[in-house]
Amino acid sequence: MSISRRKFLGWLGAAGMGTAMGSSADAASNKHFTGYPGSMGVLHDINRCVGCRSCEAACNKVNELQSPDQVFTDLSVLDKKRRTTSDAYTVVNRYDPATGTGREKEEPVFRKIQCNHCLEPACASACFVRAFTKTKEGAVTYDASVCVGCRYCMIACPFNIPAYEYDEAFTPRVMKCTMCHPRIMKGQIPGCVESCPKEALTFGKRDDLIKIANERIQKYPDSYVDHIYGEHEMGGTNWLYISDVPFERAGMREDLGITPAPQLTSGALAGVPIVVGLWPVLLTGIYAMSKRKEKIAQEEEAQAVAQAVAGTEAEAEKKLSAALAKAAKDKETVVKKEVKKALEEAAKAKEES
Amino acid sequence: MKKGKSLLRWAGVLAAGTIVLICFSFVGARGLASLSNDCGKEKRADVIKIDTLKVFGDIERPEVIFLHDLHTAALEKKNKDCSACHLSGKNFEVIPDTLKAAVQRIDRMSPKFRRLKDISRKEVMDIYHNNCIECHTNMSADGEKTGPVTCGGCHRKNPPVSSRQPVGFDKSLHFRHSKVQEKKCELCHHEYDEKTEKLVYAKEKEVSCRYCHKQETQENRISLKLASHLSCIDCHRKTLAKKAKAGPVRCSGCHDLENQKKIEKIADVPRMERKQPDTIMITTGQPGRIKDVTARMDFVPFDHKAHEGYNDTCRACHHTDLEKCNKCHTLAGKKEGKYISLEQAMHQMGTENTCMGCHEIKQDDKKCAGCHVFMQRTRKKEASSCLKCHMKQPEVSDPGNAQLSEKQLAAVAGTMLKARKSVTDTFGDEDIPEKVVIRDMVNKYGPAEFPHRKIVHTLLDNIRNNKLANYFHSEKGTVCQGCHHNSPVSQKPPRCGNCHGKPFDDKNMFKPGKMGAYHIQCMGCHKEMGLEKPVSCTDCHKENKVLN
Amino acid sequence: MSQEAAVAGKAPFTPDRSLFTRFNVIAGIIVIIGLVITILRFSGGLATVTNLDDNYPWGIWIGFDLMAGVALAAGGFVTSAAVYVFGMKRYHSAVRPAILTGFLGYALVVVALHYDVGRPWRLPYPFIMQQGTTSLLFEVAACVALYLTVLFVEFSSAPLEWLGLKKARNIVVRLTILLTIFGVVLSTLHQSSLGALFLIAPSKLHPLWYSGYLPVFFFISSIIAGLSMVIFESTLSHRYFAHKMDETHLREKEGVALGFGKAASLVLAGYFAIKVIGISVDNNWHLLGTCYGAWFLVELLGFVALPCFLYAVGVRDKNLTLIKWTSGLTVFGVALNRLNVCLIAFNWHLPSDEKYFPHWMEIGISVFVVTLGIIVFRFIVTRMPILYEHPDYKDGH
């Protein structure tokens, strides 16, 4: 297959157009999502939490989850660190001071773990059927009616929150805190917030919560670390934390950075249209070049064969004509000889008579 | 077959090479990693940084970290003492008993290693290298555990962390020393006479060493570190040599936190005899006026004698010298006072050097913290609370011009102080309900029976034994404000539920709701006061079986 | 497999030949166990047959069957690109087996996916219900689905020849170059995207394996896997199906091994270089001194650098045995890399008692799926013109 110059240029042009029509990747853009205006959130004051587990009980009741083996008033479960499971949207953990640091007499720290309802959720970015939605109210909700169960959201979540109903054969779901979105829509507050006796959980607009957190830190600078966790972590979350101890001590990772999760993969996704645009051009070009090489090789071969054949033919011709000439000459010589012989014989015969 | 052998040979060679490469990389990277790690997680008090060569210019290798107590212990095992490394002249075991002797520091030991002076870069370096490495080499030849001999063994990038705690004299230690020295102050206290360029003893002018000896040596005024080590350790060492009881000579003896806790503390130290006043009038520095027309606030009478008893050292307040505060901290502030005005010097919170700062720190006590933890430091205090200190001066015919001497002012102060009522006043029992039943939030739990009067009495008992607390709670209704806050003082203060209603109200963002208010206040107080009970939910309110 | 079984497998099919060859028996047992586990999986849910938990949502069905499987099936696009795009006609005999391996590989990936995903009947949802285009998994799914179709069409020429459908077969053959180009594009996309899946979790993947270049690493290593897998598969085919091969095939075998071995050595060298660059870009040298670092060095030096050298030596000395064994080593190495990224270096912060090890039933299904592949491969190769040219179509392509 030979490709004309026109065709080749045409391909190039099409590829270029294709690339130009792709939407911008925003991988290195300055766009920064600061949340839907007026979106709600929860402020968790770790200083106030006493590990009573009322929030766990309320969450279990409000979401009609399965009752656990140990009742919520059993505080011995706090001896082990727990994480969210398919039966528990939220857990409270107790963090004892580390041994061997000379700080054993310090008080233990309690912290509530649940979905942080990120501004730019990793789970929503990772889901290939858009089962997660960042609602305007701030809650990140899950739609079980489209979920295929690939569990990529569990891989993606930097806080290790989503859990899966591995026990379910036909309707396994991803389970995580919903910020009681249905209740919020009815003007109520999340179950855990309502039940906390010490108001270690405050519900309100995210902007207001930041104000409240700053006010508390400013009022009692000796009692709070000057940082609101979740203000910027992973691009910002709607569940904020303030604490009297360093967040690491309360079991929270401080090395997550401020890049929102979707930005981590937007670069790779941006490469897709480029590959789609350029690869066909490249490969077609290589194909064309290899085909052309082949053709040229073929032609050269044919030429060489033809030359060789022609040469051989010419030589054969020469030989033939030489042989023919020789044969003719030989014939002539023989004829002459015969004639001469005949004449001689005739002459001899005449002489005799 | 040839191919097979070749296969085996090549595969084997390359596989072996790979494994070797893996091991090398692993070990090499480990070495790299250890360079950026903390070596020796153990924290020690005897970490000395040898960076003497810095006086001669830049140093090429990292400073050497020397563990002094480690070496003292090792040398002790070999029956060697300080003189193994520290040079001195003759008579170095004589304990000075006069100022002259003390001043001359009879043959004190040089704190430097095997030398009396830093002469030159090469000499100092050689002293260290030759002596240290030689000793280590000898010890290792004897098969003993010893220090490094290679360059990198001593000149390490990541030294162990020093846990050295600063140590100081407090009243108790000073008393013990002065008793032993039979009150011969001149043995330690001296002044520098510029004219004669000599150390002299000035009676009744004894002050803290720190007023002259600062962090760094300045010309011929040696640093506090040097001064204290030369004086203290020298004397201790010599006393110990005489087999008498003395203080520590090792780094960790003074500078280790645990050892510091073991220092014997005398409970009732007799008052220092330094002719200090019993009472003072704190003025703005204008001489002798009973009321400073420029200052506009009444002067503050100050019970100096009582405050001597409240602090462990004089320098808690007299941080630079024993003069009056307003000598450096004038109304406007001046250079000598680092431009800290008199107002700041008296009232700044968050530091123990000021009056209010120190009083605030006292509120952290378990008996006080239950109420006081909720009062934010940066709050605006009521104007009337100023009058607690800035008491109304007694009447004088012409206050602006009334000139009184220091002594007279002090006497006036004494009178004013005596007139103070440091007695807590509160309402009678008939006004304090015995029990308050909180039943307006009954849901999961039943009503809470609150032993109101018992709690008030406990608080009053806590206050009663403390003069400071008594004085500031001397008005009726002040104690009630601990819980009945953000409202005017009253015989019938508002109930919690009167102000605390629905939570998470965005018009009242910073005020907790009713349930939160109760739990934050009650549980917060219990936690700060370190109460064992009540702690769990049912200790205060029983479960509501009806609902469940 | 023993000699006798090999011989037995080699014997031409006669109606009264016993079906109970050693291979058939073993494969049969595996299949039966696999079917039982399948029933358990779909009646009882994932918890009954796996050790998956909330910290490790992806196990060996994803780590091995999906990720390693896709990488090892890359021989299809590599070989067809080499022959049709780059015009290297001397490898022509390797194309059909490579395409078949690729097609079966991807088909089995989809089979394994049906086990792993919570609701496999909803697998078409991302295409027909809601498109999660922000997700790299969507891109993987779309490209894998399309590529499976491409492979199917490319492969279909063989069964069409077998069935004697000339016209259809000719149409397919004429589409070859188009399908090949499309296949390379799709392969680039989904091979790299499988690596890019982990870009979203930098806090969970060990820094020695996490890199912004993950997509590039996965793509290049898939080429290496493809090249090696062709050599590996060719070796096995020559051992067990030599009686099915025609002259061209037998003659070209050496050339394929040498040529692909040379290419693999080169690409391995390049892969090694970019891996080292990856460490230096993030300045992670000190991590090589940790336990994970040692494991990383084993992967990098033992399964990338070592095969690079072994291939080079084998090609230089024309040592086919060495090349054959090296291809096995390389294939294992790429599978190991996928397992490292997906399971071993994943959630590396967790204490060892919370780490994941597959349930024996998970391993059972993986073995079952691979066995199915081998069985189908054997069926196709012994009947259809894969290892030989159909006499009616000798002039084709």
Side-chain angles (χ1 to χ4, degrees), chain C residues 11-19:
Chain C
F13 176 79
T14 47
D16 51 4
R17 185 194 72 167
S18 169
L19 273 172

Side-chain angles (χ1 to χ4, degrees), chain B residues 295-355:
Chain B
R296 311 298 177 94
M297 296 283 281
D298 287 311
F299 293 157
V300 174
F302 180 61
D303 190 342
H304 192 272
K305 183 171 174 197
H307 279 82
E308 281 174 43
Y310 300 147
N311 289 297
D312 274 342
T313 64
C314 302
R315 58 177 189 274
C317 300
H318 293 284
H319 54 89
T320 307
D321 57 28
L322 287 177
E323 301 293 325
K324 285 198 278 208
C325 307
N326 56 34
K327 182 172 137 238
C328 296
H329 297 293
T330 55
L331 266 181
K334 63 187 203 190
K335 183 160 178 255
E336 285 88 335
K338 294 210 177 109
Y339 297 104
I340 293 173
S341 67
L342 184 62
E343 185 273 329
Q344 276 178 288
M346 298 291 116
H347 304 108
Q348 186 72 45
M349 305 287 243
T351 165
E352 67 160 10
N353 287 133
T354 67
C355 308

Side-chain angles (χ1 to χ4, degrees), chain C residues 26-281:
Chain C
I26 296 173
I29 293 173
I30 293 173
V31 167
I32 290 171
I33 296 177
L35 288 171
V36 170
I37 302 176
T38 308
I39 293 169
L40 284 173
R41 149 68 182 104
F42 287 106
S43 62
L46 283 163
T48 28
V49 301
T50 66
N51 275 345
L52 297 171
D53 61 19
D54 294 327
N55 286 325
Y56 283 92
W58 285 355
I60 59 162
W61 286 346
I62 299 286
F64 176 74
D65 288 275
L66 197 136
M67 297 216 160
V70 165
L72 299 185
F77 85 89
V78 170
T79 316
S80 56
V83 172
Y84 296 123
V85 176
F86 290 85
M88 299 181 192
K89 294 261 191 298
R90 57 192 180 283
Y91 302 131
H92 187 269
S93 62
V95 172
R96 280 222 174 144
I99 296 285
L100 174 62
T101 314
F103 170 62
L104 285 179
Y106 276 88
L108 293 172
V109 159
V110 174
V111 167
L113 202 58
H114 278 74
Y115 283 87
D116 182 78
V117 139
R119 300 196 221 208
W121 53 92
R122 286 190 181 176
L123 273 170
Y125 273 36
F127 306 121
I128 58 177
M129 294 283 278
Q130 290 176 175
Q131 293 76 42
T133 45
T134 58
S135 170
L136 277 157
L137 197 60
F138 178 80
E139 202 245 313
V140 169
C143 294
V144 167
L146 283 169
Y147 187 55
L148 188 59
T149 320
V150 164
L151 277 171
F152 176 69
V153 176
E154 279 189 288
F155 161 72
S156 62
S157 56
L160 288 173
E161 287 175 11
W162 181 51
L163 294 168
L165 297 166
K166 254 202 175 127
K167 248 203 218 157
R169 177 261 179 204
N170 284 339
I171 295 171
V172 169
V173 165
R174 263 208 289 274
L175 288 171
T176 304
I177 184 62
L178 214 69
L179 290 171
T180 305
I181 292 178
F182 197 32
V184 174
V185 172
L186 289 169
S187 290
T188 311
L189 289 174
H190 71 253
Q191 295 285 359
S192 56
S193 297
L194 278 174
L197 283 178
F198 289 92
L199 287 176
I200 205 168
S203 59
K204 294 187 182 183
L205 190 55
H206 191 279
L208 281 174
W209 279 271
Y210 183 87
S211 163
Y213 298 122
L214 263 173
V216 180
F217 292 160
F218 268 56
F219 175 54
I220 301 297
S221 55
S222 76
I223 296 176
I224 295 163
L227 292 166
S228 302
M229 197 59 188
V230 168
I231 301 172
F232 188 68
E233 172 269 316
S234 148
T235 311
L236 291 176
S237 295
H238 274 268
R239 185 146 182 225
Y240 300 111
F241 303 115
H243 58 289
K244 282 276 162 204
M245 294 181 173
D246 65 6
E247 242 197 82
T248 328
H249 216 99
L250 292 165
R251 190 185 54 220
E252 285 185 358
K253 173 208 166 179
E254 188 173 319
V256 167
L258 290 173
F260 275 44
K262 200 195 289 188
S265 177
L266 210 61
V267 183
L268 276 162
Y271 181 59
F272 182 83
I274 59 176
K275 277 282 213 181
V276 169
I277 290 171
I279 305 174
S280 67
V281 154

Side-chain angles (χ1 to χ4, degrees), chain B residues 67-227:
Chain B
L67 304 176
H68 196 277
D69 282 349
L70 190 72
H71 286 78
T72 322
L75 286 170
E76 220 176 57
K77 282 209 195 100
K78 293 176 176 296
N79 292 321
K80 289 206 181 133
D81 65 350
C82 313
S83 54
C85 295
H86 293 280
L87 304 178
S88 59
K90 49 191 181 352
N91 295 333
F92 63 89
E93 68 284 343
V94 174
I95 302 175
D97 58 354
T98 60
L99 170 67
K100 185 169 175 219
V103 159
Q104 283 170 352
R105 297 281 185 283
I106 295 179
D107 296 329
R108 68 174 175 220
M109 281 196 150
S110 167
K112 295 187 197 290
F113 175 62
R114 293 266 171 102
R115 66 193 190 280
L116 296 169
K117 275 188 174 191
D118 295 331
I119 297 180
S120 76
R121 189 194 183 98
K122 183 162 179 1
E123 219 187 274
V124 171
M125 187 173 80
D126 284 341
I127 290 173
Y128 278 112
H129 286 166
N130 295 339
N131 287 300
C132 301
I133 297 175
E134 186 191 322
C135 180
H136 288 168
T137 318
N138 290 340
M139 280 183 81
S140 81
D142 292 337
E144 294 167 56
K145 192 164 165 239
T146 183
V149 291
T150 59
C151 308
C154 287
H155 293 276
R156 300 180 76 165
K157 264 205 193 145
N158 291 289
V161 183
S162 171
S163 66
R164 182 182 305 146
Q165 297 292 328
V167 69
F169 251 28
D170 60 6
K171 280 189 310 196
S172 154
L173 257 184
H174 183 271
F175 174 68
R176 288 170 62 201
H177 280 80
S178 72
K179 197 159 129 194
V180 161
Q181 303 287 16
E182 293 152 1
K183 291 202 191 162
K184 282 198 223 155
C185 311
E186 65 266 22
L187 293 177
C188 293
H189 290 282
H190 53 246
E191 266 188 357
Y192 185 68
D193 187 339
E194 302 248 357
K195 278 202 288 266
T196 59
E197 289 185 359
K198 275 211 173 90
L199 290 174
V200 295
Y201 171 60
K203 195 163 162 64
E204 275 160 30
K205 281 204 189 164
E206 304 88 346
V207 293
S208 161
C209 314
R210 291 166 201 260
Y211 290 166
C212 292
H213 295 284
K214 304 289 181 189
Q215 284 286 90
E216 303 291 330
T217 298
Q218 289 153 340
E219 288 173 13
N220 63 342
R221 187 193 302 186
I222 55 178
S223 65
L224 181 66
K225 174 176 157 188
L226 207 55

Side-chain angles (χ1 to χ4, degrees), chain A residues 43 202 208-217, chain B residues 509-510:
Chain A
L43 173 67
T202 309
D208 288 343
L209 292 176
I210 293 179
K211 287 201 193 107
I212 294 172
N214 279 322
E215 194 251 2
R216 243 177 252 180
I217 294 171
Chain B
M509 280 199 296
F510 306 115

Side-chain angles (χ1 to χ4, degrees), chain C residues 347-362:
Chain C
N347 262 345
W348 61 285
H349 288 291
L350 289 181
S352 44
D353 57 349
E354 288 184 42
K355 287 227 160 93
Y356 159 85
F357 192 82
H359 196 277
W360 72 264
M361 290 202 217
E362 287 179 80

